[in-house]
Amino acid sequence: MSVEYLQVAEDEGEEPIELPTEDDGTLLLSTLSAQFPGSSGLKYRNPETKAMRGVRLSEGRLHPPPEIGWGSQIFYCVFPKENKRKSDDNLENSTAKTKRMETKLRCTDLIVLGLPWKTTEQNLREYFETFGEVLMAQVKKDPKTGQSKGFGFIRFASYESQMRVLAQRHMIDGRWCDVKVPNSKEGLIQQVPCKVFIGRCTEELTADDLREYFGKYGEVTDVFIPKPFRAFSFVTFLDPEVAQSLCGEDHIIKGVSVHVSNAAPKSETRGGGYGGGGPRGGNHGNNRSGPGPDGPGMYQQRYNPGPNQGNWNNQGPRGNIDMPNLQALGITGQGQQSSNQQGCNPLGLGLNLSALPMNPALVAAALNQAGWGLIGNLQNQPEPNFNQGFNNGPNNNSGNTPNGSNQGGSSNPGFLNWMNQGGQNQDGGQWPRPPPQQDQANKGFLKFLGLVLKSGASGRLKTDFVWRILKKIFIRLIIKYLILNSVFSLMEERAFCGY
DNA sequence: GTTGAGCGTT
């Protein structure tokens, strides 16, 4: 198969280099950066308008312009600029925040692993000088033989260069090398998160959408959207300052209002956390196994699922379970349901499950797997038929007989039925769910109350009985509510860790 | 003369 080449030059007037394209006609960003270290994209001069036009970049692949293809056009490298937020320029100087950031953004020595034996300190320096001023470059050698140990250290003058170098792999003298913060420096470097949490996402928002939108605030080095859909995503910026500046803001992307917040854990005690720290801050675990030289890029692998993927029961060594970022998840704590739906919510404490920007089926699955049915275990209550309220199976309208025909043998059919708004078959994930026609759950419960009140017992007894039940229900609901929050916390943390 | 995960004689 013949390989198509395209001509790329560092800039206009420079001599172009021919770069090989892939089978699908795209050019790998890694191929580009192997020849032009530090370059983040391509542009070309549009023959019609004479203006520079950018080349589409998606998933680490540069796509040929649809109008002209690669052709014989010369393409020019794009190098990221210090593209801070223009509107905030006047805030950049001499604010306390900036000063504080500056002290955090100091450079450190970086270890370069995987150097070819032949690479000299001079080679190393020359390679990394394309990213910025290099203050130090050393190759570690065996003192006796003088032979390289295959790794070395570099130090940049500017933090931006350091970030850029850390954000990618490097082809040095024919070998792919990793640059990392040395173990000896980990923990000593103050971590500034580059990653932000994007809440209230919809399924329509693609990684490209997010990359394109947030790219206007600064260079985006990674976009991560959990699969299956979980209504949030992570965007990583090259510049932690850009990331920080966006936190707390609401942004409208393709008509969707998303909320940006810090992806960093809210508390020190949170399990997992930011493994390793360092300026990359957010490379959780960094279980980099090394992509092929022409792999799709170095970002996806940061989120390699661990062995516990998808197992909601396996919490691992968690210090505690704390509150999730409910606001970022779009949960305000204020119930927003219309009055006729209010009773459908068995929690009834302002937590509006119907409005959750996550798939209720997922919540149900998580709760079920974790053994935390919301309502199911209420079936074991001594109070007769209490679960009727949440278990309106087709054969069960009298309110006098327990409904034994649970769907799929679920251990907590009440909750699942509630999820399905009154005993209909599970629809397997249709969401958002259409509003219920009727509050059947409420009806069942009221029917039960009616039976009690209509009984022959004295008024005092009845009141006492009802009051006792209500108290019990209330306490249970609070417990459920807390458990649910913990589940959200767990879900968020899982997502946060890349699971 | 060989090797290919690691972590630096300051």
Side-chain angles (χ1 to χ4, degrees):
Chain A
M1 184 178 289
S2 65
V3 179
E4 192 189 346
Y5 286 83
L6 74 146
Q7 299 196 63
V8 178
E10 189 160 322
D11 208 344
E12 286 184 290
E14 303 277 333
E15 185 183 2
I17 296 177
E18 292 192 339
L19 297 183
T21 59
E22 300 306 299
D23 290 345
D24 62 359
T26 62
L27 173 70
L28 293 173
L29 187 58
S30 52
T31 306
L32 177 70
S33 57
Q35 296 299 325
F36 301 97
S39 64
S40 58
L42 282 179
K43 61 187 177 183
Y44 63 98
R45 200 166 280 286
N46 182 358
E48 289 179 15
T49 64
K50 307 294 179 201
M52 279 293 183
R53 188 174 270 196
V55 170
R56 176 180 171 77
L57 171 65
S58 171
E59 307 284 327
R61 290 168 180 267
L62 290 148
H63 295 260
E67 320 83 43
I68 60 171
W70 294 124
S72 56
Q73 182 87 26
I74 296 180
F75 292 82
Y76 305 105
C77 292
V78 176
F79 294 92
K81 287 184 217 146
E82 191 70 21
N83 45 356
K84 296 235 174 77
R85 307 180 69 175
K86 296 189 170 45
S87 58
D88 290 355
D89 275 353
N90 54 345
L91 299 175
E92 292 291 334
N93 302 321
S94 75
T95 63
K97 185 180 176 186
T98 307
K99 288 278 181 225
R100 204 165 56 243
M101 296 288 283
E102 278 168 2
T103 62
K104 287 182 178 179
L105 302 182
R106 276 200 292 263
C107 292
T108 178
D109 291 357
L110 303 176
I111 188 167
V112 188
L113 295 164
L115 287 173
W117 313 117
K118 63 181 182 189
T119 298
T120 65
E121 290 186 349
Q122 184 60 28
N123 299 149
L124 192 65
R125 175 179 290 272
E126 283 170 4
Y127 171 81
F128 283 109
E129 273 176 346
T130 58
F131 292 90
E133 185 187 352
V134 174
L135 299 177
M136 178 274 292
Q138 52 184 212
V139 172
K140 291 298 163 194
K141 305 184 191 82
D142 184 305
K144 289 176 189 158
T145 65
Q147 173 67 261
S148 164
K149 287 183 176 175
F151 69 95
F153 292 88
I154 50 166
R155 183 159 190 142
F156 285 96
S158 86
Y159 188 78
E160 194 204 339
S161 304
Q162 171 167 315
M163 291 308 298
R164 204 177 299 293
V165 163
L166 282 168
Q168 67 174 79
R169 300 191 82 205
H170 302 272
M171 173 63 82
I172 303 173
D173 289 342
R175 264 183 71 91
W176 284 100
C177 303
D178 285 319
V179 177
K180 300 176 178 177
V181 173
N183 291 337
S184 56
K185 293 285 169 57
E186 279 188 341
L188 299 175
I189 309 291
Q190 283 183 297
Q191 132 199 346
V192 184
C194 301
K195 180 180 289 188
V196 292
F197 177 93
I198 313 293
R200 298 198 305 254
C201 291
T202 66
E203 263 179 304
E204 284 67 45
L205 285 181
T206 66
D208 281 344
D209 293 332
L210 294 173
R211 188 181 285 273
E212 185 185 340
Y213 177 83
F214 287 109
K216 68 187 181 190
Y217 298 112
E219 186 177 344
V220 173
T221 58
D222 185 37
V223 174
F224 176 70
I225 298 179
K227 289 192 179 87
F229 172 67
R230 281 193 249 170
F232 58 82
S233 51
F234 293 104
V235 172
T236 308
F237 292 92
L238 180 68
D239 186 348
E241 207 169 336
V242 173
Q244 292 308 300
S245 74
L246 291 168
C247 284
E249 295 182 358
D250 288 314
H251 288 257
I252 295 176
I253 310 172
K254 282 173 73 181
V256 179
S257 169
V258 300
H259 183 77
V260 183
S261 60
N262 206 321
K266 295 248 179 296
S267 65
E268 298 288 328
T269 52
R270 197 156 187 145
Y274 265 61
R280 273 177 297 179
N283 192 350
H284 314 292
N286 192 22
N287 51 354
R288 165 185 289 182
S289 56
D294 291 323
M298 55 286 181
Y299 299 122
Q300 286 91 342
Q301 63 186 312
R302 293 184 176 181
Y303 303 99
N304 273 349
N308 298 332
Q309 180 186 24
N311 185 348
W312 296 97
N313 279 324
N314 192 346
Q315 296 185 25
R318 290 165 54 85
N320 70 340
I321 298 175
D322 53 7
M323 287 288 287
N325 186 348
L326 292 178
Q327 191 193 1
L329 282 167
I331 303 167
T332 61
Q334 302 295 317
Q336 292 164 5
Q337 291 167 303
S338 59
S339 56
N340 72 322
Q341 292 180 38
Q342 200 89 41
C344 283
N345 184 341
L347 301 175
L349 293 170
L351 179 64
N352 183 359
L353 276 173
S354 303
L356 287 185
M358 71 177 74
N359 192 329
L362 186 76
V363 179
L367 289 166
N368 285 327
Q369 274 202 39
W372 290 333
L374 273 174
I375 294 303
N377 57 1
L378 286 178
Q379 290 188 311
N380 300 327
Q381 292 309 299
E383 290 84 8
N385 304 318
F386 176 75
N387 63 348
Q388 293 309 314
F390 301 105
N391 207 350
N392 288 310
N395 303 323
N396 182 22
N397 296 320
S398 70
N400 287 324
T401 52
N403 182 358
S405 58
N406 296 337
Q407 296 172 1
S410 166
S411 61
N412 31 38
F415 175 60
L416 290 178
N417 279 354
W418 169 70
M419 293 294 293
N420 286 296
Q421 302 295 348
Q424 294 156 18
N425 289 332
Q426 296 182 41
D427 57 18
Q430 196 191 12
W431 194 76
R433 191 179 303 286
Q437 299 304 311
Q438 200 182 17
D439 185 355
Q440 297 186 45
N442 220 13
K443 267 173 83 181
F445 181 63
L446 291 175
K447 190 179 265 181
F448 163 66
L449 270 182
L451 283 173
V452 173
L453 295 173
K454 276 183 207 161
S455 71
S458 76
R460 172 83 186 264
L461 261 176
K462 276 191 260 189
T463 317
D464 255 342
F465 185 54
V466 171
W467 185 238
R468 263 178 44 218
I469 292 174
L470 289 176
K471 238 169 43 181
K472 212 160 190 176
I473 294 169
F474 190 65
I475 291 168
R476 281 176 177 279
L477 291 182
I478 291 174
I479 295 169
K480 301 286 179 185
Y481 176 68
L482 293 174
I483 292 174
L484 186 65
N485 278 339
S486 303
V487 172
F488 288 154
S489 171
L490 176 61
M491 291 167 79
E492 188 194 12
E493 185 173 324
R494 288 285 161 145
F496 173 75
C497 293
Y499 291 138

